Amino acid sequence: MAEWTECMNFGITIARQASKVILEAFRAKKDVMLKSSPADLVTETDQRVEKMLISRIRERYPTHKFIGEESVAAGEKLELTDSPTWIIDPIDGTVNFVHRFPFVAISIAFAVNKQTEFGIVYSCVEDKMYRAQRGGGAFVNDVPLHTSGQEDITKSLVVTEIGAERDCLALCTMTTNIMNLLAIPIQGIRAVGTAAVDMVLVATGGADAYYHIGMHCWDIAASALIVTEAGGVVLDTDGSEFDMMSRKVIAASSMPVAKRIAQVVRAFPCTRDDEDPARVNNGGHCISSGL
Ligand SMILES: O=P(O)(O)O[C@H]1[C@H](O)[C@@H](O)[C@H](O)[C@@H](O)[C@@H]1O
Ligand SMILES: [Mg+2]
Ligand SMILES: [Mg+2]
């Protein structure tokens, strides 16, 4: 664990540097581009911040590998090997960034032998630095984090996102999931607009669970470790073992809450992050039945 502390501290330093670029652009006029749907946005700042993070890391750790959201969007192969790999979302919550909705985060995970060794989520506008090292606990601005430990789904506040999909199958699935959870009943549904912040709220105890279908490894790899190091549970939406490439996740305060959500929530078909998007006729996005 201590072996990667120096890397994590470097990640924290460059996240703070990148945040300055994001906050300066946050207030400025933005040129917005679309990716996989009318709600899947990217700006020049997303691309610039990712390039800045990767070049600074590469300068210090020339043998390390990268999985970056915008590098993959530009055609780079998404492959997690046993090599030390930085998994980066330069701006998580780009729709929020474009609208100046004050929740945008930099998410940086670091994996070796396909196991996440540390995770950093920097919520820039809030100035909250969430971090965790495997086996070392979870912290926000150096204060220890613990989940709520809630085991009763009827006393739970659940966070989710509608995501970027706008096809009928995805929208029907997402809204049906929300309706079925509310009918249990749970005490509320929230959506912050950034998967990374949604998920670290479970680590803070401010939410009792988060689930989502369709996000990517760079959205959640860091926050998944932060949740487990805060005493939480992270599973696939079908209740099986979490796999950061599956694009389906439940993060919860306890196993009973996680398992209860897995009983209710249904996923729509999604290509895995590590599947060749060329094999899928919609550019690697979640498959729509065209209903
Ligand atoms: O803002 P980005 O990095 O694109 O990540 C968002 C993702 O695109 C959406 O589909 C999810 O619903 C959000 O929670 C992610 O933050
Ligand atoms: Mg993201
Ligand atoms: Mg992003």
PDB file of all heavy atoms in Angstrom, residues 1-38:
ATOM      1  N   MET A   1       0.853  -1.198   0.000  1.00  0.00           N
ATOM      2  CA  MET A   1       0.000   0.000   0.000  1.00  0.00           C
ATOM      3  C   MET A   1       0.886   1.245   0.000  1.00  0.00           C
ATOM      4  O   MET A   1       0.718   2.119  -0.824  1.00  0.00           O
ATOM      5  CB  MET A   1      -0.904  -0.016   1.219  1.00  0.00           C
ATOM      6  CG  MET A   1      -1.770   1.245   1.313  1.00  0.00           C
ATOM      7  SD  MET A   1      -2.401   1.468   2.958  1.00  0.00           S
ATOM      8  CE  MET A   1      -0.974   1.990   3.831  1.00  0.00           C
ATOM      9  N   ALA A   2       1.854   1.268   0.888  1.00  0.00           N
ATOM     10  CA  ALA A   2       2.696   2.480   0.974  1.00  0.00           C
ATOM     11  C   ALA A   2       3.460   2.675  -0.330  1.00  0.00           C
ATOM     12  O   ALA A   2       3.785   3.798  -0.707  1.00  0.00           O
ATOM     13  CB  ALA A   2       3.661   2.321   2.137  1.00  0.00           C
ATOM     14  N   GLU A   3       3.604   1.569  -1.084  1.00  0.00           N
ATOM     15  CA  GLU A   3       4.385   1.633  -2.340  1.00  0.00           C
ATOM     16  C   GLU A   3       3.840   2.688  -3.295  1.00  0.00           C
ATOM     17  O   GLU A   3       4.590   3.278  -4.061  1.00  0.00           O
ATOM     18  CB  GLU A   3       4.318   0.253  -2.997  1.00  0.00           C
ATOM     19  CG  GLU A   3       5.090   0.128  -4.290  1.00  0.00           C
ATOM     20  CD  GLU A   3       4.875  -1.242  -4.940  1.00  0.00           C
ATOM     21  OE1 GLU A   3       4.109  -2.049  -4.373  1.00  0.00           O
ATOM     22  OE2 GLU A   3       5.478  -1.478  -5.999  1.00  0.00           O
ATOM     23  N   TRP A   4       2.521   2.902  -3.248  1.00  0.00           N
ATOM     24  CA  TRP A   4       1.920   3.820  -4.221  1.00  0.00           C
ATOM     25  C   TRP A   4       1.527   5.165  -3.608  1.00  0.00           C
ATOM     26  O   TRP A   4       0.917   5.988  -4.284  1.00  0.00           O
ATOM     27  CB  TRP A   4       0.706   3.135  -4.869  1.00  0.00           C
ATOM     28  CG  TRP A   4       1.069   1.820  -5.487  1.00  0.00           C
ATOM     29  CD1 TRP A   4       0.696   0.571  -5.076  1.00  0.00           C
ATOM     30  CD2 TRP A   4       1.931   1.611  -6.615  1.00  0.00           C
ATOM     31  NE1 TRP A   4       1.240  -0.394  -5.891  1.00  0.00           N
ATOM     32  CE2 TRP A   4       2.019   0.222  -6.842  1.00  0.00           C
ATOM     33  CE3 TRP A   4       2.654   2.468  -7.470  1.00  0.00           C
ATOM     34  CZ2 TRP A   4       2.769  -0.329  -7.877  1.00  0.00           C
ATOM     35  CZ3 TRP A   4       3.393   1.924  -8.502  1.00  0.00           C
ATOM     36  CH2 TRP A   4       3.453   0.535  -8.700  1.00  0.00           C
ATOM     37  N   THR A   5       1.900   5.410  -2.367  1.00  0.00           N
ATOM     38  CA  THR A   5       1.543   6.680  -1.709  1.00  0.00           C
ATOM     39  C   THR A   5       2.110   7.871  -2.456  1.00  0.00           C
ATOM     40  O   THR A   5       1.422   8.883  -2.668  1.00  0.00           O
ATOM     41  CB  THR A   5       2.060   6.695  -0.245  1.00  0.00           C
ATOM     42  OG1 THR A   5       1.515   5.566   0.445  1.00  0.00           O
ATOM     43  CG2 THR A   5       1.651   7.985   0.456  1.00  0.00           C
ATOM     44  N   GLU A   6       3.338   7.731  -2.923  1.00  0.00           N
ATOM     45  CA  GLU A   6       3.972   8.852  -3.632  1.00  0.00           C
ATOM     46  C   GLU A   6       3.203   9.166  -4.911  1.00  0.00           C
ATOM     47  O   GLU A   6       2.936  10.331  -5.237  1.00  0.00           O
ATOM     48  CB  GLU A   6       5.425   8.476  -3.945  1.00  0.00           C
ATOM     49  CG  GLU A   6       6.332   9.650  -4.278  1.00  0.00           C
ATOM     50  CD  GLU A   6       6.348   9.986  -5.765  1.00  0.00           C
ATOM     51  OE1 GLU A   6       5.964   9.101  -6.562  1.00  0.00           O
ATOM     52  OE2 GLU A   6       6.697  11.127  -6.109  1.00  0.00           O
ATOM     53  N   CYS A   7       2.767   8.107  -5.589  1.00  0.00           N
ATOM     54  CA  CYS A   7       1.955   8.306  -6.818  1.00  0.00           C
ATOM     55  C   CYS A   7       0.650   9.013  -6.475  1.00  0.00           C
ATOM     56  O   CYS A   7       0.211   9.936  -7.170  1.00  0.00           O
ATOM     57  CB  CYS A   7       1.613   6.958  -7.438  1.00  0.00           C
ATOM     58  SG  CYS A   7       2.905   6.214  -8.397  1.00  0.00           S
ATOM     59  N   MET A   8       0.019   8.574  -5.384  1.00  0.00           N
ATOM     60  CA  MET A   8      -1.268   9.181  -5.008  1.00  0.00           C
ATOM     61  C   MET A   8      -1.077  10.666  -4.672  1.00  0.00           C
ATOM     62  O   MET A   8      -1.850  11.520  -5.135  1.00  0.00           O
ATOM     63  CB  MET A   8      -1.900   8.472  -3.804  1.00  0.00           C
ATOM     64  CG  MET A   8      -3.271   9.052  -3.445  1.00  0.00           C
ATOM     65  SD  MET A   8      -4.068   8.236  -2.071  1.00  0.00           S
ATOM     66  CE  MET A   8      -3.072   8.849  -0.713  1.00  0.00           C
ATOM     67  N   ASN A   9      -0.050  10.964  -3.930  1.00  0.00           N
ATOM     68  CA  ASN A   9       0.195  12.373  -3.562  1.00  0.00           C
ATOM     69  C   ASN A   9       0.452  13.226  -4.803  1.00  0.00           C
ATOM     70  O   ASN A   9      -0.011  14.362  -4.905  1.00  0.00           O
ATOM     71  CB  ASN A   9       1.358  12.467  -2.580  1.00  0.00           C
ATOM     72  CG  ASN A   9       0.985  11.882  -1.221  1.00  0.00           C
ATOM     73  OD1 ASN A   9      -0.199  11.782  -0.883  1.00  0.00           O
ATOM     74  ND2 ASN A   9       1.982  11.453  -0.449  1.00  0.00           N
ATOM     75  N   PHE A  10       1.123  12.623  -5.783  1.00  0.00           N
ATOM     76  CA  PHE A  10       1.339  13.345  -7.043  1.00  0.00           C
ATOM     77  C   PHE A  10       0.001  13.553  -7.761  1.00  0.00           C
ATOM     78  O   PHE A  10      -0.295  14.637  -8.271  1.00  0.00           O
ATOM     79  CB  PHE A  10       2.306  12.560  -7.945  1.00  0.00           C
ATOM     80  CG  PHE A  10       2.583  13.226  -9.261  1.00  0.00           C
ATOM     81  CD1 PHE A  10       3.318  14.400  -9.323  1.00  0.00           C
ATOM     82  CD2 PHE A  10       2.079  12.696 -10.450  1.00  0.00           C
ATOM     83  CE1 PHE A  10       3.563  15.031 -10.535  1.00  0.00           C
ATOM     84  CE2 PHE A  10       2.320  13.323 -11.671  1.00  0.00           C
ATOM     85  CZ  PHE A  10       3.062  14.488 -11.702  1.00  0.00           C
ATOM     86  N   GLY A  11      -0.847  12.529  -7.702  1.00  0.00           N
ATOM     87  CA  GLY A  11      -2.183  12.634  -8.326  1.00  0.00           C
ATOM     88  C   GLY A  11      -2.997  13.743  -7.691  1.00  0.00           C
ATOM     89  O   GLY A  11      -3.684  14.501  -8.386  1.00  0.00           O
ATOM     90  N   ILE A  12      -2.911  13.867  -6.379  1.00  0.00           N
ATOM     91  CA  ILE A  12      -3.639  14.921  -5.667  1.00  0.00           C
ATOM     92  C   ILE A  12      -3.128  16.303  -6.076  1.00  0.00           C
ATOM     93  O   ILE A  12      -3.905  17.215  -6.370  1.00  0.00           O
ATOM     94  CB  ILE A  12      -3.525  14.720  -4.135  1.00  0.00           C
ATOM     95  CG1 ILE A  12      -4.349  13.495  -3.704  1.00  0.00           C
ATOM     96  CG2 ILE A  12      -3.961  15.964  -3.371  1.00  0.00           C
ATOM     97  CD1 ILE A  12      -4.088  13.031  -2.285  1.00  0.00           C
ATOM     98  N   THR A  13      -1.814  16.404  -6.183  1.00  0.00           N
ATOM     99  CA  THR A  13      -1.210  17.696  -6.582  1.00  0.00           C
ATOM    100  C   THR A  13      -1.672  18.121  -7.972  1.00  0.00           C
ATOM    101  O   THR A  13      -2.120  19.257  -8.171  1.00  0.00           O
ATOM    102  CB  THR A  13       0.332  17.577  -6.558  1.00  0.00           C
ATOM    103  OG1 THR A  13       0.738  17.228  -5.231  1.00  0.00           O
ATOM    104  CG2 THR A  13       1.004  18.868  -7.007  1.00  0.00           C
ATOM    105  N   ILE A  14      -1.649  17.192  -8.931  1.00  0.00           N
ATOM    106  CA  ILE A  14      -2.031  17.587 -10.308  1.00  0.00           C
ATOM    107  C   ILE A  14      -3.549  17.757 -10.416  1.00  0.00           C
ATOM    108  O   ILE A  14      -4.038  18.532 -11.248  1.00  0.00           O
ATOM    109  CB  ILE A  14      -1.477  16.620 -11.369  1.00  0.00           C
ATOM    110  CG1 ILE A  14      -1.958  15.194 -11.159  1.00  0.00           C
ATOM    111  CG2 ILE A  14       0.038  16.708 -11.441  1.00  0.00           C
ATOM    112  CD1 ILE A  14      -1.560  14.247 -12.294  1.00  0.00           C
ATOM    113  N   ALA A  15      -4.305  17.091  -9.568  1.00  0.00           N
ATOM    114  CA  ALA A  15      -5.770  17.312  -9.582  1.00  0.00           C
ATOM    115  C   ALA A  15      -6.073  18.741  -9.145  1.00  0.00           C
ATOM    116  O   ALA A  15      -6.917  19.431  -9.735  1.00  0.00           O
ATOM    117  CB  ALA A  15      -6.469  16.314  -8.663  1.00  0.00           C
ATOM    118  N   ARG A  16      -5.357  19.208  -8.149  1.00  0.00           N
ATOM    119  CA  ARG A  16      -5.556  20.601  -7.685  1.00  0.00           C
ATOM    120  C   ARG A  16      -5.150  21.591  -8.782  1.00  0.00           C
ATOM    121  O   ARG A  16      -5.829  22.587  -9.037  1.00  0.00           O
ATOM    122  CB  ARG A  16      -4.737  20.863  -6.429  1.00  0.00           C
ATOM    123  CG  ARG A  16      -5.295  20.218  -5.172  1.00  0.00           C
ATOM    124  CD  ARG A  16      -4.669  20.830  -3.910  1.00  0.00           C
ATOM    125  NE  ARG A  16      -4.972  20.022  -2.726  1.00  0.00           N
ATOM    126  CZ  ARG A  16      -6.175  20.039  -2.127  1.00  0.00           C
ATOM    127  NH1 ARG A  16      -7.138  20.796  -2.617  1.00  0.00           N
ATOM    128  NH2 ARG A  16      -6.401  19.284  -1.075  1.00  0.00           N
ATOM    129  N   GLN A  17      -4.055  21.278  -9.482  1.00  0.00           N
ATOM    130  CA  GLN A  17      -3.605  22.170 -10.570  1.00  0.00           C
ATOM    131  C   GLN A  17      -4.651  22.183 -11.693  1.00  0.00           C
ATOM    132  O   GLN A  17      -5.017  23.247 -12.204  1.00  0.00           O
ATOM    133  CB  GLN A  17      -2.247  21.691 -11.117  1.00  0.00           C
ATOM    134  CG  GLN A  17      -1.101  21.858 -10.126  1.00  0.00           C
ATOM    135  CD  GLN A  17       0.148  21.073 -10.540  1.00  0.00           C
ATOM    136  OE1 GLN A  17       0.135  20.268 -11.487  1.00  0.00           O
ATOM    137  NE2 GLN A  17       1.240  21.292  -9.836  1.00  0.00           N
ATOM    138  N   ALA A  18      -5.178  21.013 -12.016  1.00  0.00           N
ATOM    139  CA  ALA A  18      -6.179  20.915 -13.096  1.00  0.00           C
ATOM    140  C   ALA A  18      -7.472  21.620 -12.697  1.00  0.00           C
ATOM    141  O   ALA A  18      -8.141  22.236 -13.532  1.00  0.00           O
ATOM    142  CB  ALA A  18      -6.465  19.441 -13.401  1.00  0.00           C
ATOM    143  N   SER A  19      -7.785  21.588 -11.426  1.00  0.00           N
ATOM    144  CA  SER A  19      -9.020  22.227 -10.954  1.00  0.00           C
ATOM    145  C   SER A  19      -8.995  23.729 -11.228  1.00  0.00           C
ATOM    146  O   SER A  19     -10.028  24.330 -11.556  1.00  0.00           O
ATOM    147  CB  SER A  19      -9.183  21.985  -9.452  1.00  0.00           C
ATOM    148  OG  SER A  19     -10.293  22.706  -8.966  1.00  0.00           O
ATOM    149  N   LYS A  20      -7.813  24.322 -11.157  1.00  0.00           N
ATOM    150  CA  LYS A  20      -7.706  25.777 -11.428  1.00  0.00           C
ATOM    151  C   LYS A  20      -8.146  26.079 -12.864  1.00  0.00           C
ATOM    152  O   LYS A  20      -8.872  27.044 -13.117  1.00  0.00           O
ATOM    153  CB  LYS A  20      -6.272  26.259 -11.197  1.00  0.00           C
ATOM    154  CG  LYS A  20      -5.825  26.241  -9.731  1.00  0.00           C
ATOM    155  CD  LYS A  20      -4.500  27.010  -9.545  1.00  0.00           C
ATOM    156  CE  LYS A  20      -4.095  27.092  -8.083  1.00  0.00           C
ATOM    157  NZ  LYS A  20      -3.563  25.804  -7.563  1.00  0.00           N
ATOM    158  N   VAL A  21      -7.760  25.196 -13.782  1.00  0.00           N
ATOM    159  CA  VAL A  21      -8.135  25.370 -15.206  1.00  0.00           C
ATOM    160  C   VAL A  21      -9.649  25.226 -15.350  1.00  0.00           C
ATOM    161  O   VAL A  21     -10.318  26.009 -16.019  1.00  0.00           O
ATOM    162  CB  VAL A  21      -7.409  24.315 -16.074  1.00  0.00           C
ATOM    163  CG1 VAL A  21      -7.877  24.383 -17.521  1.00  0.00           C
ATOM    164  CG2 VAL A  21      -5.900  24.478 -15.966  1.00  0.00           C
ATOM    165  N   ILE A  22     -10.208  24.219 -14.649  1.00  0.00           N
ATOM    166  CA  ILE A  22     -11.648  23.957 -14.744  1.00  0.00           C
ATOM    167  C   ILE A  22     -12.451  25.121 -14.161  1.00  0.00           C
ATOM    168  O   ILE A  22     -13.412  25.607 -14.776  1.00  0.00           O
ATOM    169  CB  ILE A  22     -12.000  22.638 -14.015  1.00  0.00           C
ATOM    170  CG1 ILE A  22     -11.388  21.446 -14.761  1.00  0.00           C
ATOM    171  CG2 ILE A  22     -13.506  22.474 -13.863  1.00  0.00           C
ATOM    172  CD1 ILE A  22     -11.448  20.126 -14.005  1.00  0.00           C
ATOM    173  N   LEU A  23     -12.041  25.602 -13.002  1.00  0.00           N
ATOM    174  CA  LEU A  23     -12.806  26.673 -12.345  1.00  0.00           C
ATOM    175  C   LEU A  23     -12.727  27.979 -13.128  1.00  0.00           C
ATOM    176  O   LEU A  23     -13.699  28.735 -13.203  1.00  0.00           O
ATOM    177  CB  LEU A  23     -12.321  26.858 -10.907  1.00  0.00           C
ATOM    178  CG  LEU A  23     -12.653  25.685  -9.973  1.00  0.00           C
ATOM    179  CD1 LEU A  23     -12.082  25.915  -8.578  1.00  0.00           C
ATOM    180  CD2 LEU A  23     -14.160  25.439  -9.911  1.00  0.00           C
ATOM    181  N   GLU A  24     -11.581  28.215 -13.777  1.00  0.00           N
ATOM    182  CA  GLU A  24     -11.462  29.424 -14.606  1.00  0.00           C
ATOM    183  C   GLU A  24     -12.429  29.312 -15.784  1.00  0.00           C
ATOM    184  O   GLU A  24     -13.170  30.251 -16.082  1.00  0.00           O
ATOM    185  CB  GLU A  24     -10.020  29.536 -15.108  1.00  0.00           C
ATOM    186  CG  GLU A  24      -9.598  30.949 -15.488  1.00  0.00           C
ATOM    187  CD  GLU A  24      -8.122  30.961 -15.866  1.00  0.00           C
ATOM    188  OE1 GLU A  24      -7.294  30.659 -14.969  1.00  0.00           O
ATOM    189  OE2 GLU A  24      -7.833  31.221 -17.055  1.00  0.00           O
ATOM    190  N   ALA A  25     -12.503  28.135 -16.377  1.00  0.00           N
ATOM    191  CA  ALA A  25     -13.376  27.935 -17.556  1.00  0.00           C
ATOM    192  C   ALA A  25     -14.845  27.812 -17.145  1.00  0.00           C
ATOM    193  O   ALA A  25     -15.743  28.064 -17.954  1.00  0.00           O
ATOM    194  CB  ALA A  25     -12.943  26.672 -18.293  1.00  0.00           C
ATOM    195  N   PHE A  26     -15.059  27.456 -15.877  1.00  0.00           N
ATOM    196  CA  PHE A  26     -16.433  27.215 -15.397  1.00  0.00           C
ATOM    197  C   PHE A  26     -17.309  28.435 -15.637  1.00  0.00           C
ATOM    198  O   PHE A  26     -18.475  28.331 -16.006  1.00  0.00           O
ATOM    199  CB  PHE A  26     -16.370  26.897 -13.895  1.00  0.00           C
ATOM    200  CG  PHE A  26     -17.675  26.470 -13.266  1.00  0.00           C
ATOM    201  CD1 PHE A  26     -18.134  25.163 -13.398  1.00  0.00           C
ATOM    202  CD2 PHE A  26     -18.446  27.356 -12.531  1.00  0.00           C
ATOM    203  CE1 PHE A  26     -19.330  24.751 -12.811  1.00  0.00           C
ATOM    204  CE2 PHE A  26     -19.637  26.956 -11.941  1.00  0.00           C
ATOM    205  CZ  PHE A  26     -20.078  25.650 -12.080  1.00  0.00           C
ATOM    206  N   ARG A  27     -16.691  29.615 -15.471  1.00  0.00           N
ATOM    207  CA  ARG A  27     -17.479  30.855 -15.567  1.00  0.00           C
ATOM    208  C   ARG A  27     -17.475  31.414 -16.993  1.00  0.00           C
ATOM    209  O   ARG A  27     -18.215  32.315 -17.313  1.00  0.00           O
ATOM    210  CB  ARG A  27     -16.909  31.884 -14.582  1.00  0.00           C
ATOM    211  CG  ARG A  27     -16.988  31.409 -13.125  1.00  0.00           C
ATOM    212  CD  ARG A  27     -16.211  32.278 -12.142  1.00  0.00           C
ATOM    213  NE  ARG A  27     -16.142  31.584 -10.842  1.00  0.00           N
ATOM    214  CZ  ARG A  27     -15.140  30.755 -10.507  1.00  0.00           C
ATOM    215  NH1 ARG A  27     -14.152  30.548 -11.359  1.00  0.00           N
ATOM    216  NH2 ARG A  27     -15.128  30.134  -9.320  1.00  0.00           N
ATOM    217  N   ALA A  28     -16.620  30.868 -17.849  1.00  0.00           N
ATOM    218  CA  ALA A  28     -16.463  31.435 -19.208  1.00  0.00           C
ATOM    219  C   ALA A  28     -17.458  30.799 -20.184  1.00  0.00           C
ATOM    220  O   ALA A  28     -18.094  29.780 -19.897  1.00  0.00           O
ATOM    221  CB  ALA A  28     -15.039  31.173 -19.682  1.00  0.00           C
ATOM    222  N   LYS A  29     -17.570  31.418 -21.368  1.00  0.00           N
ATOM    223  CA  LYS A  29     -18.403  30.861 -22.447  1.00  0.00           C
ATOM    224  C   LYS A  29     -17.730  29.578 -22.962  1.00  0.00           C
ATOM    225  O   LYS A  29     -16.513  29.493 -23.003  1.00  0.00           O
ATOM    226  CB  LYS A  29     -18.505  31.898 -23.579  1.00  0.00           C
ATOM    227  CG  LYS A  29     -19.518  31.513 -24.662  1.00  0.00           C
ATOM    228  CD  LYS A  29     -19.606  32.583 -25.744  1.00  0.00           C
ATOM    229  CE  LYS A  29     -20.475  32.139 -26.933  1.00  0.00           C
ATOM    230  NZ  LYS A  29     -20.317  30.731 -27.322  1.00  0.00           N
ATOM    231  N   LYS A  30     -18.555  28.569 -23.290  1.00  0.00           N
ATOM    232  CA  LYS A  30     -17.968  27.274 -23.685  1.00  0.00           C
ATOM    233  C   LYS A  30     -18.435  26.856 -25.066  1.00  0.00           C
ATOM    234  O   LYS A  30     -19.588  27.046 -25.429  1.00  0.00           O
ATOM    235  CB  LYS A  30     -18.389  26.209 -22.683  1.00  0.00           C
ATOM    236  CG  LYS A  30     -17.986  26.543 -21.240  1.00  0.00           C
ATOM    237  CD  LYS A  30     -18.664  25.614 -20.256  1.00  0.00           C
ATOM    238  CE  LYS A  30     -18.326  26.026 -18.833  1.00  0.00           C
ATOM    239  NZ  LYS A  30     -19.078  27.232 -18.408  1.00  0.00           N
ATOM    240  N   ASP A  31     -17.537  26.236 -25.826  1.00  0.00           N
ATOM    241  CA  ASP A  31     -17.946  25.567 -27.071  1.00  0.00           C
ATOM    242  C   ASP A  31     -18.253  24.116 -26.724  1.00  0.00           C
ATOM    243  O   ASP A  31     -17.369  23.397 -26.251  1.00  0.00           O
ATOM    244  CB  ASP A  31     -16.805  25.624 -28.101  1.00  0.00           C
ATOM    245  CG  ASP A  31     -16.579  27.066 -28.577  1.00  0.00           C
ATOM    246  OD1 ASP A  31     -17.576  27.826 -28.612  1.00  0.00           O
ATOM    247  OD2 ASP A  31     -15.412  27.435 -28.840  1.00  0.00           O
ATOM    248  N   VAL A  32     -19.473  23.711 -26.957  1.00  0.00           N
ATOM    249  CA  VAL A  32     -19.904  22.379 -26.533  1.00  0.00           C
ATOM    250  C   VAL A  32     -20.002  21.453 -27.748  1.00  0.00           C
ATOM    251  O   VAL A  32     -20.575  21.812 -28.773  1.00  0.00           O
ATOM    252  CB  VAL A  32     -21.275  22.460 -25.833  1.00  0.00           C
ATOM    253  CG1 VAL A  32     -21.712  21.075 -25.357  1.00  0.00           C
ATOM    254  CG2 VAL A  32     -21.210  23.432 -24.662  1.00  0.00           C
ATOM    255  N   MET A  33     -19.430  20.241 -27.603  1.00  0.00           N
ATOM    256  CA  MET A  33     -19.515  19.224 -28.662  1.00  0.00           C
ATOM    257  C   MET A  33     -20.288  18.032 -28.111  1.00  0.00           C
ATOM    258  O   MET A  33     -20.315  17.809 -26.903  1.00  0.00           O
ATOM    259  CB  MET A  33     -18.087  18.789 -29.054  1.00  0.00           C
ATOM    260  CG  MET A  33     -17.283  19.912 -29.680  1.00  0.00           C
ATOM    261  SD  MET A  33     -15.504  19.594 -29.615  1.00  0.00           S
ATOM    262  CE  MET A  33     -15.089  20.188 -27.965  1.00  0.00           C
ATOM    263  N   LEU A  34     -20.921  17.273 -29.028  1.00  0.00           N
ATOM    264  CA  LEU A  34     -21.694  16.096 -28.617  1.00  0.00           C
ATOM    265  C   LEU A  34     -20.879  14.838 -28.870  1.00  0.00           C
ATOM    266  O   LEU A  34     -20.118  14.759 -29.838  1.00  0.00           O
ATOM    267  CB  LEU A  34     -23.012  16.012 -29.398  1.00  0.00           C
ATOM    268  CG  LEU A  34     -23.989  17.188 -29.236  1.00  0.00           C
ATOM    269  CD1 LEU A  34     -25.306  16.862 -29.953  1.00  0.00           C
ATOM    270  CD2 LEU A  34     -24.240  17.509 -27.768  1.00  0.00           C
ATOM    271  N   LYS A  35     -21.067  13.823 -28.026  1.00  0.00           N
ATOM    272  CA  LYS A  35     -20.411  12.526 -28.249  1.00  0.00           C
ATOM    273  C   LYS A  35     -21.474  11.496 -28.640  1.00  0.00           C
ATOM    274  O   LYS A  35     -21.960  11.513 -29.746  1.00  0.00           O
ATOM    275  CB  LYS A  35     -19.612  12.115 -27.010  1.00  0.00           C
ATOM    276  CG  LYS A  35     -18.408  13.041 -26.799  1.00  0.00           C
ATOM    277  CD  LYS A  35     -17.335  12.474 -25.886  1.00  0.00           C
ATOM    278  CE  LYS A  35     -17.731  12.345 -24.469  1.00  0.00           C
ATOM    279  NZ  LYS A  35     -16.561  12.034 -23.573  1.00  0.00           N
ATOM    280  N   SER A  36     -21.934  10.698 -27.699  1.00  0.00           N
ATOM    281  CA  SER A  36     -22.800   9.556 -28.090  1.00  0.00           C
ATOM    282  C   SER A  36     -24.283   9.894 -28.090  1.00  0.00           C
ATOM    283  O   SER A  36     -25.090   9.103 -28.526  1.00  0.00           O
ATOM    284  CB  SER A  36     -22.559   8.411 -27.114  1.00  0.00           C
ATOM    285  OG  SER A  36     -22.924   8.857 -25.818  1.00  0.00           O
ATOM    286  N   SER A  37     -24.630  11.054 -27.574  1.00  0.00           N
ATOM    287  CA  SER A  37     -26.067  11.417 -27.544  1.00  0.00           C
ATOM    288  C   SER A  37     -26.169  12.930 -27.310  1.00  0.00           C
ATOM    289  O   SER A  37     -25.182  13.576 -26.947  1.00  0.00           O
ATOM    290  CB  SER A  37     -26.773  10.665 -26.412  1.00  0.00           C
ATOM    291  OG  SER A  37     -26.670  11.412 -25.208  1.00  0.00           O
ATOM    292  N   PRO A  38     -27.376  13.501 -27.454  1.00  0.00           N
ATOM    293  CA  PRO A  38     -27.524  14.953 -27.258  1.00  0.00           C
ATOM    294  C   PRO A  38     -27.242  15.392 -25.814  1.00  0.00           C
ATOM    295  O   PRO A  38     -27.129  16.560 -25.518  1.00  0.00           O
ATOM    296  CB  PRO A  38     -29.004  15.189 -27.607  1.00  0.00           C
ATOM    297  CG  PRO A  38     -29.445  13.993 -28.354  1.00  0.00           C
ATOM    298  CD  PRO A  38     -28.608  12.848 -27.905  1.00  0.00           C
TER     299      PRO A  38
END
